[in-house]
Amino acid sequence: MQTIPEEVIQEIRQKIDIVDVINQYVQLTKRGNSYTASCPFHEDRNPSFSVQSQKQIYKCFSCGRGGNVFGFLQEIEGITFPQAVKKAAEMANVSVDAYFDSNDSLTGQSKGEQILYSIHEKVSEFYHYYLNNTVNGEAALQYLLKRNLTQQTIDDFAIGFAPDNSQILWQFLKKEHFTDDELINSGIFYLSENSQQLIDRFHGRLMFPLRNMQGKVVGFSGRLMSEDTSKRSPKYLNSPETIIFQKNQLLFNLDRARLPIRQSNQVLICEGFMDVIALTQANFENTVATMGTSLTESHLKQVTKLAKEVVFVFDGDDAGQKAIARAFELSVAFPNNTFKSLIIPQKMDPDEWIQQHGSESFQKLIVQALSPFEFQMNYLKKSYDLSNQQELAWYIEALIKLIANIQSPIEQQLRLNNLIQEFNLSESLVKEQLAQANYINKKQKANQSSEQMQIVQQEAPQQTISAFNIKSERAFQAEKTLLACLIYYQEAWSYVEKMNDELIFFHEQSQQLYFELQHFYYDLGYPIPLTDVVSQITSPEMNHFLTTIIWEKDPMAYSDQIINDCLRVMNEEFVNLEIKELSQQMVVYRKEQKNNEANALAIKILQLTRQLKSNS
């Protein structure tokens, strides 16, 4: 890979807005001149992540992370700086292909990961071609079309078909120079004990590529066309887990649905990818699905950063209802989001309902989606015999606990009034029970908050500004002002060049950042302002420090006096530090009865004190 010229990087920065980019990953809310959100890099229930459009930087005031658009893409995607530039260039419609060789790692993966990504991409293309362009794939293609999937949908999701004869795919991949060990490691092939040949574990199945957040194929799900499972073959077969595929972390279609989710501020979560495909074809493009596993908190973390409202679209059968109940239990950990459940009549799944009743009918079901309390009230009712007084009491107690979990005080009061009226209960008794439930909830939340704080402290970078050993707040503020002048003004560098002595900062971290700025300004020729060096400094500590200065310090009218004042304050703090150290040593001498030495230090302290007064 060639070095990407600075002017190209500048062009990309000028054509892209960091707000638009970050808005694709988290839900930003405009607050004054900035945008805020929950930080995508750690658990953040009180939004502490902020983005400034004017300065084109972001910063989390909790974990300390910060940087420009390239730095954000590096952090959120786990990619290198050159690849972050490439990704931003694609968003800005700027071509940088000339600076990347075809064999370059685009995401900073290991060699093994690169090979697996390449195999999966080639296999996905092969399956899709085999479905659409061969005689042997014709039956599978007709099967999909008869299920009312359009050719456009088949192409959009790159649906394919795996030949019954595994040798066809094997020979294709051997021509691409993949080894047998690499094919086995991909999880697509296994070694037959009888024939000692590599067998495509998906042979004879309809194939659905599984993509990660970056849109890369990481695995497959194969579906039998026949409903006959008497041969002990599962209807659906997923890729085994590999270094690039962990099915309990993956949400099907999230790479394609991310922007529609952000635009609608709503995400529909289904149980299976066929539901997602059917709903997407019916123009519900904000739809994702778990991969045959139960919904996890990790799944919810991914979608709650993108949308305010989460709607569970699970099957209407008993298993689906249990899954919804479990999903609502997980949702309690996300109080800033709204969760609902879509109930499909007649115990149908979304695909069946769309086929029989159409998209308009399904939209009505979304509008009528139940709140957690409404769903759980109906769900709990099935577990109790309400004709039995004891079980009726248990049912009411369970409802009171549910009411205590409602975030809105107004909704809580309305639910409480309905409960009192429906069961003809004493208002004082019910409120007493609610108060007890609220007390228990508060204790639990306090414990969770304590645990959460520990998690944030563990996850957050240790090299943040708050972790700096700031010996003098006065000197630290002067240093930040001086560094800001060097970031924004050519005149500041000219002034420093004329100084007789080397510029020495009071704090080590300020000195290190000064050296970093020197390197980019003199050695690499970066232009003023030096805001573009954000995210290119390799030290996270220095990068976060620089982001903080850019965030806090707006460009001001430059004057040499500003530099003089900063240098004076820093010098005074050096003197104060010397006085402090001498005073401590003098106390030691007094205790040791070394009066001559102590007196000499007293004179020195007096001289330094007079020096401070004369300079003020």
Side-chain angles (χ1 to χ4, degrees):
M1 184 187 73
Q2 305 175 36
T3 301
I4 304 174
E6 178 59 28
E7 57 267 23
V8 175
I9 295 176
Q10 286 290 337
E11 180 186 359
I12 296 168
R13 280 175 51 84
Q14 292 169 4
K15 289 186 176 181
I16 201 168
D17 187 346
I18 192 173
V19 173
D20 293 335
V21 174
I22 294 180
N23 222 9
Q24 296 182 34
Y25 296 86
V26 297
Q27 183 183 353
L28 293 176
T29 302
K30 197 171 193 320
R31 299 280 174 84
N33 294 324
S34 302
Y35 294 81
T36 62
S38 295
C39 182
F41 304 120
H42 68 88
E43 283 299 313
D44 187 19
R45 297 187 181 180
N46 296 313
S48 55
F49 182 85
S50 192
V51 183
Q52 273 201 13
S53 179
Q54 182 180 2
K55 296 182 178 180
Q56 290 291 294
I57 58 173
Y58 72 94
K59 181 168 180 61
C60 176
F61 293 92
S62 178
C63 72
R65 285 178 172 89
N68 60 14
V69 66
F70 304 123
F72 178 81
L73 290 171
Q74 281 183 267
E75 291 254 22
I76 200 75
E77 298 277 8
I79 55 181
T80 63
F81 175 76
Q83 181 53 23
V85 173
K86 182 177 175 65
K87 192 171 185 68
E90 292 171 355
M91 298 178 182
N93 292 318
V94 176
S95 176
V96 292
D97 292 341
Y99 308 106
F100 287 84
D101 298 328
S102 60
N103 294 325
D104 276 332
S105 168
L106 300 184
T107 53
Q109 302 110 358
S110 67
K111 183 70 179 299
E113 288 173 322
Q114 293 175 48
I115 291 172
L116 290 189
Y117 281 122
S118 181
I119 290 173
H120 280 81
E121 198 62 45
K122 294 289 185 183
V123 171
S124 176
E125 292 171 0
F126 174 88
Y127 286 151
H128 187 60
Y129 177 87
Y130 196 82
L131 173 74
N132 288 283
N133 299 283
T134 68
V135 173
N136 290 335
E138 180 65 25
L141 180 60
Q142 291 305 314
Y143 174 85
L144 292 171
L145 295 174
K146 287 178 181 178
R147 285 187 59 111
N148 295 319
L149 292 187
T150 65
Q151 186 63 51
Q152 184 65 52
T153 296
I154 292 170
D155 292 340
D156 287 345
F157 285 91
I159 301 172
F161 182 67
D164 279 312
N165 183 357
S166 299
Q167 291 299 298
I168 300 175
L169 176 60
W170 178 79
Q171 290 172 1
F172 167 75
L173 294 172
K174 293 301 287 185
K175 290 180 180 178
E176 297 290 334
H177 308 296
F178 295 114
T179 67
D180 285 354
D181 285 342
E182 290 168 346
L183 297 180
I184 291 174
N185 289 337
S186 74
I188 299 169
F189 288 87
Y190 66 89
L191 184 64
S192 170
E193 294 181 2
N194 297 327
S195 64
Q196 292 299 302
Q197 290 182 331
L198 292 194
I199 305 298
D200 177 2
R201 71 175 65 248
F202 300 107
H203 63 91
R205 291 175 178 265
L206 287 166
M207 298 304 297
F208 300 85
L210 310 177
R211 300 181 183 275
N212 63 13
M213 181 73 90
Q214 291 77 43
K216 292 186 175 296
V217 180
V218 294
F220 294 95
S221 187
R223 186 190 191 281
L224 290 175
M225 286 193 293
S226 171
E227 300 298 328
D228 180 13
T229 58
S230 59
K231 296 180 181 180
R232 298 183 181 179
S233 295
K235 183 177 179 180
Y236 290 100
L237 180 65
N238 290 333
S239 291
E241 295 202 347
T242 65
I243 57 175
I244 64 171
F245 175 56
Q246 294 81 42
K247 65 180 181 181
N248 64 343
Q249 300 291 324
L250 187 89
L251 282 171
F252 179 77
N253 196 48
L254 186 56
D255 61 307
R256 300 176 75 251
R258 182 166 57 197
L259 186 55
I261 289 171
R262 284 292 304 112
Q263 291 172 338
S264 63
N265 205 19
Q266 179 191 70
V267 57
L268 309 181
I269 302 181
C270 302
E271 287 185 287
F273 61 81
M274 285 303 296
D275 294 328
V276 171
I277 294 172
L279 288 172
T280 301
Q281 183 172 278
N283 294 321
F284 298 98
E285 297 180 341
N286 56 331
T287 309
V288 298
T290 56
M291 286 308 308
T293 62
S294 298
L295 187 74
T296 66
E297 190 168 328
S298 173
H299 292 138
L300 290 182
K301 284 179 183 177
Q302 295 179 62
V303 297
T304 52
K305 296 181 186 302
L306 300 175
K308 178 74 173 177
E309 183 173 280
V310 180
V311 181
F312 301 122
V313 188
F314 294 172
D315 292 351
D317 57 17
D318 292 341
Q321 298 304 289
K322 287 182 181 179
I324 294 173
R326 168 64 178 156
F328 277 132
E329 290 176 6
L330 294 174
S331 71
V332 175
F334 303 89
N336 295 325
N337 295 85
T338 301
F339 293 86
K340 293 182 179 181
S341 167
L342 188 152
I343 303 299
I344 304 176
Q346 304 168 29
K347 296 187 177 181
M348 290 186 179
D349 61 34
D351 186 16
E352 292 172 332
W353 186 268
I354 291 285
Q355 297 287 352
Q356 294 187 27
H357 301 280
S359 58
E360 289 186 10
S361 175
F362 194 81
Q363 179 60 46
K364 291 179 181 178
L365 293 180
I366 295 176
V367 173
Q368 297 166 0
L370 302 180
S371 70
F373 178 80
E374 291 168 332
F375 169 81
Q376 290 170 323
M377 181 177 65
N378 295 329
Y379 183 72
L380 280 174
K381 192 176 291 185
K382 302 173 184 177
S383 303
Y384 296 94
D385 178 5
L386 301 189
S387 64
N388 180 291
Q389 293 295 304
Q390 179 62 68
E391 294 204 24
L392 176 60
W394 290 338
Y395 173 63
I396 294 172
E397 289 172 355
L399 292 182
I400 291 174
K401 291 178 182 178
L402 292 178
I403 293 174
N405 285 327
I406 296 174
Q407 297 296 312
S408 167
I410 295 176
E411 183 186 354
Q412 193 177 82
Q413 184 63 54
L414 292 172
R415 300 293 185 190
L416 198 67
N417 291 342
N418 291 338
L419 184 67
I420 292 169
Q421 294 173 8
E422 181 177 355
F423 295 100
N424 195 24
L425 300 170
S426 164
E427 182 175 349
S428 59
L429 176 62
V430 173
K431 287 186 174 180
E432 180 183 340
Q433 293 290 315
L434 181 64
Q436 292 178 5
N438 281 329
Y439 175 73
I440 294 173
N441 282 349
K442 286 180 180 179
K443 286 188 66 176
Q444 291 175 342
K445 288 179 181 178
N447 292 335
Q448 290 173 355
S449 296
S450 177
E451 293 173 0
Q452 185 59 42
M453 182 60 68
Q454 294 176 5
I455 293 172
V456 169
Q457 291 171 350
Q458 291 169 1
E459 291 183 349
Q462 296 303 307
Q463 301 88 1
T464 59
I465 300 305
S466 60
F468 283 160
N469 181 19
I470 300 175
K471 298 177 181 178
S472 166
E473 183 62 35
R474 185 165 174 258
F476 191 54
Q477 293 302 324
E479 289 168 341
K480 289 195 291 184
T481 299
L482 196 159
L483 289 167
C485 288
L486 293 170
I487 290 169
Y488 290 114
Y489 296 105
Q490 173 75 46
E491 296 91 334
W493 289 99
S494 299
Y495 182 93
V496 171
E497 289 170 0
K498 296 174 183 177
M499 290 173 54
N500 293 325
D501 300 320
E502 178 66 29
L503 181 54
I504 304 297
F505 288 81
F506 188 84
H507 292 94
E508 181 182 352
Q509 62 267 24
S510 299
Q511 190 74 51
Q512 290 177 356
L513 182 56
Y514 170 62
F515 290 150
E516 290 278 8
L517 294 176
Q518 272 189 322
H519 171 64
F520 281 97
Y521 181 67
Y522 288 117
D523 300 339
L524 300 182
Y526 270 60
I528 298 294
L530 294 174
T531 51
D532 288 346
V533 309
V534 170
S535 301
Q536 295 206 52
I537 294 177
T538 56
S539 165
E541 178 183 20
M542 288 298 100
N543 191 49
H544 298 155
F545 185 20
L546 175 59
T547 303
T548 298
I549 293 173
I550 296 173
W551 188 276
E552 292 179 356
K553 304 292 184 180
D554 291 318
M556 62 199 86
Y558 175 81
S559 71
D560 289 347
Q561 188 59 46
I562 296 175
I563 304 290
N564 285 329
D565 290 342
C566 292
L567 294 174
R568 176 180 56 77
V569 170
M570 289 158 55
N571 182 64
E572 288 175 356
E573 290 307 294
F574 274 121
V575 174
N576 281 326
L577 179 62
E578 187 177 359
I579 291 173
K580 181 180 179 181
E581 291 173 346
L582 291 175
S583 298
Q584 292 172 344
Q585 185 60 48
M586 185 175 68
V587 171
V588 174
Y589 283 154
R590 293 294 187 199
K591 289 181 178 179
E592 295 174 350
Q593 296 184 350
K594 297 180 179 179
N595 293 326
N596 290 337
E597 290 87 344
N599 291 337
L601 290 183
I603 293 172
K604 178 65 173 175
I605 291 170
L606 181 60
Q607 291 172 342
L608 291 173
T609 303
R610 287 173 177 170
Q611 177 183 329
L612 283 177
K613 289 182 179 179
S614 65
N615 291 337
S616 61

